[in-house]
Amino acid sequence: IYLGTEPVGYFALDLGPAGAMCLSRLFIKEKARGQGIGRSIVAYAQKLAEGDGRSRLYLRIWARDLKAEGFAKKCRFRKAETVPMEVLPGTTLDITTWEKLWR
């Protein structure tokens, strides 16, 4: 993700289960936050998912990351479930799946 010529973040889109797309590894540098970049990425991901015939966009957030949860709510994701997930060998965190549905 660039703001002008400066790199300010990154994201990935993963094809999830049938009918779904995952917006993963979304990161925006602190100084670039609050400018609508993240919301634009969500809109872009949803447009791609819709164009590919998918009806669900989701993301996974560490359950204690209140800033990320606030972002998900602003983007009209809804909380689906929280489960313990091994994120590194021997390291388990509670991860919440947030989703947007259409159709």
Side-chain angles (χ1 to χ4, degrees), residues 16-69:
M21 182 179 286
C22 179
L23 175 57
S24 65
R25 295 177 289 281
L26 175 59
F27 173 78
I28 299 171
K29 287 182 179 179
E30 189 73 39
K31 68 180 181 178
R33 293 179 188 172
Q35 300 180 44
I37 297 169
R39 289 187 303 275
S40 293
I41 297 298
V42 169
Y44 172 73
Q46 184 174 343
K47 188 173 184 175
L48 287 176
E50 287 174 349
D52 196 35
R54 297 171 187 277
S55 59
R56 178 177 177 244
L57 177 65
Y58 68 97
L59 48 91
R60 293 188 175 119
I61 298 172
W62 179 41
R64 292 186 182 180
D65 188 341
L66 299 179
K67 284 185 180 181
E69 284 195 6

Side-chain angles (χ1 to χ4, degrees), residues 81-95:
E81 67 177 346
T82 301
V83 296
M85 189 177 292
E86 188 172 38
V87 294
L88 293 170
T91 303
T92 301
L93 297 175
D94 287 338
I95 302 295

Side-chain angles (χ1 to χ4, degrees), residues 68-80:
E69 284 195 6
F71 171 76
K73 289 176 183 177
K74 282 182 187 176
C75 291
R76 297 187 170 183
F77 283 84
R78 70 171 182 91
K79 189 183 288 191

